[in-house]
Amino acid sequence: LSIASTSLLPSRAGVYGRGSWWNAAIAVDAYKIVDPTVPGSFEPYRRLPRATFEGSHEIGLGFVAGVDSELVHFSKNEGSNNGTRLDVYPYLALPIERSGWFMRPELGWRQTEYDFDVGQDKRDESRGLPIFSYDAGLIFERETNWFGRDWLQTLEPRLFYLYVPYEDQSDIPIFDTQELTFGFGQLFRTNRFVGADRQTDAN
């Protein structure tokens, strides 16, 4: 029972749409504490509503222009730092894919705007950062025979470079962001956080 039980009961309703080059959604998220031993302060922020738009389209000469965006209003109980966050990331990429190698340079700008409450006062904060990443790899394959069985042996060296300048983000509230558990896939991400409240710096 302790493994199957949950302390938070999520509720979600939304409308989702997609086209040939875009995805969009508008939804509401809320949580209810169902464990009486958990204090109310641990309840996550409600997102009422959360709107997202993602799109990418080839613009010629192999270049791809895109944007990832999110607008969300956070609310909790009285006295919390309720607020609104707008996160927009336009980018330009040049993905080159071949049978034996790939190269994916990308340059973008992440702009995040906040309007939130601090007690009885209203505050606004913003963060703007350039993000450059370069992902490249080689793919080697050969047929071989080990212990009387046929195998396909692969070797895939990969290089990932990321540059994001440092910016002090201590004045920005944390609504729905946390650091990811480190794993192999995170080696090739542009942010070690999930959520828009924090952007890692890297070189």
Side-chain angles (χ1 to χ4, degrees), residues 54-190:
E54 301 173 356
S56 63
H57 199 273
E58 189 169 344
I59 58 175
L61 300 177
F63 285 93
V64 174
V67 64
D68 296 332
S69 60
E70 177 193 51
L71 175 63
V72 56
H73 178 74
F74 298 97
S75 65
K76 209 174 183 181
N77 50 16
E78 292 294 330
S80 299
N81 295 342
N82 301 329
T84 301
R85 181 185 71 204
L86 173 64
D87 184 52
V88 181
Y89 176 65
Y91 62 88
L92 184 65
L94 182 62
I96 301 174
E97 309 278 344
R98 298 294 184 266
S99 59
W101 59 275
F102 66 88
M103 181 176 66
R104 306 182 190 119
E106 181 176 304
L107 177 63
W109 180 273
R110 187 171 197 181
Q111 186 70 34
T112 312
E113 302 287 337
Y114 290 85
D115 184 6
F116 59 97
D117 303 328
V118 179
Q120 301 297 321
D121 298 327
K122 292 280 190 181
R123 284 187 58 184
D124 57 86
E125 295 285 346
S126 65
R127 178 194 64 210
L129 289 170
I131 299 175
F132 173 74
S133 64
Y134 180 83
D135 192 4
L138 300 171
I139 304 169
F140 300 106
E141 294 182 350
R142 72 171 183 174
E143 295 180 354
T144 186
N145 186 284
W146 286 348
F147 308 108
R149 296 185 61 184
D150 293 329
W151 298 83
L152 180 65
Q153 184 181 12
T154 64
L155 177 65
E156 300 183 15
R158 187 170 176 182
L159 170 71
F160 183 76
Y161 173 71
L162 174 66
Y163 176 74
V164 185
Y166 171 79
E167 182 172 328
D168 184 6
Q169 302 171 66
S170 58
D171 291 336
I172 295 176
I174 298 178
F175 290 117
D176 64 351
T177 297
Q178 59 183 342
E179 191 168 1
L180 290 165
T181 302
F182 183 76
F184 176 78
Q186 194 174 332
L187 293 172
F188 310 105
R189 288 175 50 93
T190 59

Side-chain angles (χ1 to χ4, degrees), residues 40-55:
S41 59
F42 281 83
E43 181 182 345
Y45 281 90
R46 296 181 293 271
R47 300 190 287 189
L48 305 171
R50 176 176 182 252
T52 60
F53 178 84
E54 301 173 356

